[in-house]
Amino acid sequence: MMSAQRDQVELRACDLDSVLADDHAARTVWAFVQSLDLAPLYARIKSVDGRGGAPAIDPAILVALWLWATIDGVGSAREVDRLCERDDAYRWICGGVGVNYHSLADFRTQHEAWLDAQLTRSIAALLDRRLVTLNVVAQDGLRVRASAKASSFRRRDKLAQLHAQAQAQVQALKRELAEDAGASSRRKQAAQERAAREREQRLAAALATMERIKPAAEPKKAKPSKRRGRDHDGDPPAPPAPEPKVPPEPRVSSTDADARVMKMADGGFRPAFNAQLAVDAATQLIAAVDLVNSGSDMGQMDPLHQAVQQRYGLTPDHWLADGGYTKLAAIDALTERGTQPVLPAARSRNPDINALAPKPSDSPAQAQWRSLMASHWGKDLYVWRGASVECANAQLRRRGFTRLNVCGLVKARAVLLWHALAHNLMRMRSLNFAFMA
């Protein structure tokens, strides 16, 4: 009988390139990265040959690592750091270059504008090759949990108190750091001072957000009752008028001032952001994204339509969206620009009223929209929305875009752009679209 012998020393000679299959998806990621415009990232490198300091990591490696990690459903910089030491795909991308989670975490959120430009550039290249048309675009939103917890939402007085405490802590740590001469303890105190300073900045941002929120309207004073009690016949006096209800003071998160409490898909209310996607219905490629802290989709169709026009210099023929986007002003705006909106009409509470019947107050664009949605062709076209943008949403959620581990709209939008690029990369791989530099 042959038993396992795991203490046997073996000597294996192999290179990193041989451990990865020729058709492995990580090779596709690297080919896609080579087609991107990396010049702006190289321009930001400050280390120069011949001078002191550690050499910079090639930005192509960091881009490929985050694209592959997003496809792999990994959103933690520490986990990517660990995988770079034990997983063959991550090791192959690194090519022997050491990375650390600090560099990975910073790189992920520092290049939001560059990521947005690459999304536009990649889709524009496909438009130029006539592989994508954007004739029919579908839009949908998905609410993503914010990193902030519900317990972090505070009112103005509490935020001001915490901000004052944080400022005092920062000043105390700065004094200790200036007085201590020990190198090791200075590094520890510097880290503590940096953490306290970041906390103080988050609280200051929360207070600034609180100032921007419009105060609740003053409650109307109740009119005194005209009825008076009668003292002689024994009737009780009229009850006093009820006191007007004062709206509660708004609350802002002390850890993420941009997060807002929204109604989620399961019916619960949690701190979240609202991610908007515009998808080419024919290929399911994401053409434009946006991230807002409004829980309603009602006003999001017009801005994303304008974004597609500005990005690619074209106007889609049809724009598909669900009932949450139905707004008559937006229908007029899209029609005026040359796009036919395809979205259901809001149902009336009166079952006898047909929402798709023409109304006297309708504009020509609104009457045309109702006529389209009442036709069989319009209904068939609307079905295409679920088969395109809903699939893209499902892919993003499958890859972990369900909760953010970064704070702020800018950083959260960078994470959304990583997911959009990763999704498009895998869709282009499925469609056998070649990458062109």
Side-chain angles (χ1 to χ4, degrees), residues 90 109 132 173 188 199 212 257 291 296 322 365 413:
Y90 290 86
T109 57
V132 174
L173 288 171
K188 182 178 179 180
R199 181 172 182 268
R212 290 196 301 269
L291 193 80
S296 174
D322 60 29
R413 191 170 186 273

Side-chain angles (χ1 to χ4, degrees), residues 139-145 262 272-278 288-297 300 304 325 389 393 396-397 401 404 409 412-413 415-417 419:
Q139 179 179 357
D140 197 18
L142 64 159
R143 290 162 184 79
V144 187
R145 283 286 306 274
M262 301 180 187
F273 291 99
N274 188 357
Q276 297 291 321
L277 305 180
V289 298
D290 196 9
L291 193 80
V292 297
N293 56 6
S294 172
S296 174
D297 293 333
Q300 306 306 323
L304 202 60
Y325 295 88
V389 69
N393 283 357
L396 263 63
R397 292 194 180 278
F401 193 60
L404 296 162
L409 273 170
R413 191 170 186 273
V415 174
L416 172 60
L417 286 165
H419 277 272

Side-chain angles (χ1 to χ4, degrees), residues 150 153 251 259-264 268-272 293-295:
F153 282 73
R251 296 185 299 171
R260 298 291 183 271
V261 176
M262 301 180 187
K263 187 176 182 180
M264 308 300 286
F269 290 84
R270 302 178 189 90
N293 56 6
S294 172

Side-chain angles (χ1 to χ4, degrees), residues 121-134:
R121 184 174 181 268
S122 59
I123 296 297
L126 296 176
L127 284 167
D128 187 60
R129 296 159 58 190
R130 300 184 184 278
L131 297 174
V132 174
T133 61
L134 293 181

Side-chain angles (χ1 to χ4, degrees), residues 170 173 189-200 202:
V170 169
L173 288 171
Q189 289 183 354
Q192 293 175 345
E193 190 269 337
R194 182 175 62 252
R197 185 174 64 252
E198 291 174 353
R199 181 172 182 268
E200 187 270 334
R202 289 194 296 268

Side-chain angles (χ1 to χ4, degrees), residues 82-95:
R82 287 189 287 266
L83 288 169
C84 288
E85 297 180 359
R86 66 171 184 260
D87 186 275
D88 287 341
Y90 290 86
R91 291 175 59 241
W92 182 87
I93 292 174
C94 289

